[in-house]
Amino acid sequence: MLTLTPALRDAIIATCIRALPNEGCGLLIGRAEESGSTVTDVVPSPNVAASARIYEIDSRVMLRTVRRTDEEGLTVLGVFHSHTHSEAFPSPTDVRQAPDPDWHYVVVSLRDVPADVRSYQIVGATVTSEDIYIGS
Amino acid sequence: MAATVRIPTVLRPAMGGLTTVTVEGSTIGAVLTELTTTYPAIEGQLLNGDGTLHRFLNVYVNDDDVRYIGGVDAPVGNDDEITLLPAVAGGDA
């Protein structure tokens, strides 16, 4: 399970809307625990692929975020990105390129209003949906 | 030359859980080859068979992306910090 505050959920959606017509993306940081992960901040990234069909996190953002999480005792929990015209489910590209089996993969569909935000775990070729708990 | 290499979480299980290691080598290629020799479980995840950088790996020497400073030939000095980062990409393609 992934826990988010309403403000962080809104920040994820806002990042994706600002990136239109391209896909938006960013990193999730926080604390990983046995019972699930709690996101304490989201880090927007430029989509260096600059595409409506694919995304790529800026590696400089990744570098700064890894250093920050090490200093603050936090963890990079995963990544979020948008699908501008399709459902909030990982595409074959998302699954094939998923970099870390411990990560949470949040997909935001902007196809309909309101935006649909869902989270998955991707281990090998297996995609598992997980609950998002919106806490205060 | 001995540099510190910061290991990404995805590679740590194959490297005994280490977060950083100290590796000898005067170039990025030499450092990554030495890492693979020491930790064979990560073979194929750093370098391609032809010795070039793996497509889904980003490597920084301090604040410099090695792709812009010589790739695998980028020089490594004492006290340099090398950071290995997974390329994070995907999309609805």
Side-chain angles (χ1 to χ4, degrees):
Chain A
M1 185 175 73
L2 190 68
T3 299
L4 280 173
T5 65
L8 290 174
R9 182 182 185 278
D10 291 350
I12 290 170
I13 295 171
T15 298
C16 295
I17 290 174
R18 273 197 296 273
L20 285 171
N22 294 334
E23 292 193 359
C25 56
L27 297 166
L28 310 168
I29 65 176
R31 293 183 178 82
E33 290 151 357
E34 284 288 320
S35 56
S37 296
T38 300
V39 180
T40 58
D41 202 2
V42 298
V43 183
S45 169
N47 176 2
V48 296
S51 165
R53 303 276 292 170
I54 58 174
Y55 79 94
E56 183 173 352
I57 297 282
D58 187 332
S59 64
R60 291 168 297 183
V61 171
M62 186 72 187
L63 178 69
R64 286 197 298 269
T65 304
V66 166
R67 287 176 175 168
R68 174 185 163 190
T69 52
D70 282 356
E71 285 172 8
E72 297 180 4
L74 299 171
T75 305
V76 178
L77 296 173
V79 61
F80 69 89
H81 78 283
S82 57
H83 286 175
T84 59
H85 292 91
S86 61
E87 64 181 337
F89 190 84
S91 69
T93 307
D94 294 330
V95 175
R96 194 168 55 248
Q97 298 185 7
D100 193 321
D102 290 331
W103 275 17
H104 303 268
Y105 295 85
V106 170
V107 186
V108 179
S109 172
L110 300 178
R111 182 182 61 183
D112 303 311
V113 177
D116 190 19
V117 181
R118 296 182 184 273
S119 185
Y120 301 89
Q121 294 193 286
I122 302 174
V123 180
T126 303
V127 179
T128 306
S129 177
E130 64 177 354
D131 291 335
I132 297 178
Y133 174 71
I134 306 294
S136 53
Chain B
M1 296 289 180
T4 300
V5 183
R6 192 188 292 250
I7 307 300
T9 54
V10 68
L11 294 182
R12 289 176 191 169
M15 299 178 64
L18 294 171
T19 58
T20 61
V21 294
T22 302
V23 181
E24 296 282 338
S26 58
T27 65
I28 283 295
V31 166
L32 298 184
T33 299
E34 178 64 21
L35 266 183
T36 302
T37 301
T38 308
Y39 304 96
I42 63 172
E43 183 165 5
Q45 298 188 63
L46 307 182
L47 295 168
N48 299 313
D50 62 1
T52 55
L53 277 180
H54 193 287
R55 178 183 164 206
F56 293 123
L57 178 73
N58 292 306
V59 182
Y60 279 78
V61 177
N62 303 318
D63 293 330
D64 295 320
D65 184 338
V66 301
R67 286 191 168 85
Y68 300 106
I69 56 169
V72 291
D73 296 323
V76 174
N78 272 332
D79 302 327
D80 277 345
E81 181 180 84
I82 298 167
T83 305
L84 308 183
L85 300 167
V88 184
D92 190 23

